[in-house]
């Protein structure tokens, strides 16, 4: 018995919506490699009218319901933080004394992630935080800054491996002399995405072949 052919489906467009394929980003664009700090993720909110609030990775926090004292530090320095940072949501890592790896620190520090805004290289070749407050922040030098920039330039896998090697043998750039850094973060400027590679077992064997 001959098989009956199926009638072709009618091209009915009602109820469908065109969805384009997203633009494909180019891999070989600029990246920024920074040291990944092992502390606690935190952020400072600064409103247009100068009000300040703090958050952890998962929630807004207050000095009464805090996370490693970050909300208390933000509250104590609210006016200076509003002036230095300006309106917006400012993400960073709160690290040091009593948090995760501790880095041999006797104080806690806040390092901002947005190196495009906060990092600069001076005429002397030294990197420092760019801020309207001058060289000393909040009157306590070094308490707030930016995560260390290890490389800035076109995507280069060899450079990524090299920076991991430098961290492993030379120790932390954020806390010189601390020989157990966590790893790196790679910010891809075209996709505005961040990826990480760590020196622990999660990434073991994936980066160790360094020329």
């Amino acid at each position: 018995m001959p098989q009956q052919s199926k009638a072709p489906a009618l091209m009915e467009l009602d109820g469908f919506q065109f969805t384009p394929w997203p633009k494909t980003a180019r891999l070989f664009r600029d990246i920024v490699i920074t040291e990944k700090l092992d502390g606690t993720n935190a952020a400072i909110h600064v409103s247009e009218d100068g009000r300040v609030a703090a958050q952890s990775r998962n929630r807004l926090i207050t000095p009464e319901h805090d996370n490693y004292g970050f909300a208390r530090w933000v509250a104590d320095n609210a006016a200076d933080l509003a002036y230095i940072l300006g309106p917006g949501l400012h993400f960073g890592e709160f690290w040091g004394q009593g948090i995760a790896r501790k880095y041999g620190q006797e104080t806690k520090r806040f390092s901002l992630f947005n190196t495009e805004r906060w990092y600069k290289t001076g005429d002397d070749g030294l990197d420092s935080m760019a801020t309207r407050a001058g060289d000393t922040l909040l009157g306590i030098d070094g308490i707030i800054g930016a995560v260390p920039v290890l490389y800035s330039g076109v995507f280069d896998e060899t450079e990524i491996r090299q920076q991991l090697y430098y961290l492993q043998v030379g120790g932390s750039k954020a806390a010189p002399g601390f020989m157990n850094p966590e790893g790196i973060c790679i910010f891809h400027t075209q996709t505005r995405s961040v990826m990480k590679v760590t020196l622990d077992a999660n990434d073991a064997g994936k980066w160790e072949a360094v020329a």
Side-chain angles (χ1 to χ4, degrees):
M1 185 175 183
Q3 186 176 7
Q4 294 182 344
S5 61
K6 295 182 179 179
L10 297 177
M11 186 67 86
E12 296 285 351
L13 300 183
D14 289 346
F16 291 94
Q17 181 178 351
F18 173 73
T19 304
W21 179 261
K23 184 177 180 180
T24 303
R26 294 185 181 274
L27 178 61
F28 290 96
R29 290 296 184 263
D30 282 354
I31 61 172
V32 180
I33 301 176
T34 58
E35 181 177 351
K36 185 181 187 304
L37 297 173
D38 186 15
T40 184
N41 185 276
I44 300 171
H45 296 256
V46 181
S47 68
E48 291 292 340
D49 61 1
R51 292 178 297 114
V52 175
Q55 72 175 44
S56 67
R57 180 182 295 276
N58 300 314
R59 61 187 174 89
L60 291 169
I61 54 178
T62 67
E64 295 73 32
H65 301 281
D66 212 338
N67 185 48
Y68 292 103
F70 182 67
R72 168 51 59 195
W73 176 76
V74 170
D76 289 344
N77 297 285
D80 286 329
L81 288 168
Y83 173 73
I84 291 168
L85 301 177
L89 179 57
H90 307 279
F91 284 95
E93 194 82 0
F94 197 51
W95 60 281
Q97 182 189 43
I99 307 175
R101 293 177 195 238
K102 305 175 186 176
Y103 290 85
Q105 302 299 301
E106 296 181 356
T107 60
K108 297 181 179 71
R109 302 183 179 191
F110 184 57
S111 294
L112 293 151
F113 294 150
N114 187 357
T115 58
E116 284 182 304
R117 177 178 179 187
W118 297 115
Y119 222 75
K120 69 174 182 179
T121 301
D123 294 336
D124 56 3
L126 298 177
D127 294 321
S128 61
M129 184 175 174
T131 169
R132 291 176 291 172
D135 295 332
T136 301
L137 305 170
L138 306 181
I140 310 172
D141 189 33
I143 295 301
I144 181 172
V147 290
V149 174
L150 308 178
Y151 168 82
S152 180
V154 176
F155 177 92
D156 185 333
E157 185 178 355
T158 299
E159 191 69 48
I160 293 170
R161 294 173 183 271
Q162 196 74 56
Q163 294 304 329
L164 280 165
Y165 175 75
Y166 290 155
L167 275 182
Q168 186 185 46
V169 301
S172 171
K173 296 294 185 182
F178 182 77
M179 299 305 296
N180 185 30
E182 185 179 14
I184 61 173
C185 286
I186 304 127
F187 173 67
H188 192 273
T189 58
Q190 187 176 82
T191 62
R192 312 299 291 179
S193 59
V194 180
M195 290 148 281
K196 65 182 179 181
V197 187
T198 58
L199 291 165
D200 59 21
N202 290 329
D203 287 312
K206 298 185 176 78
W207 59 269
E208 292 173 325
V210 178

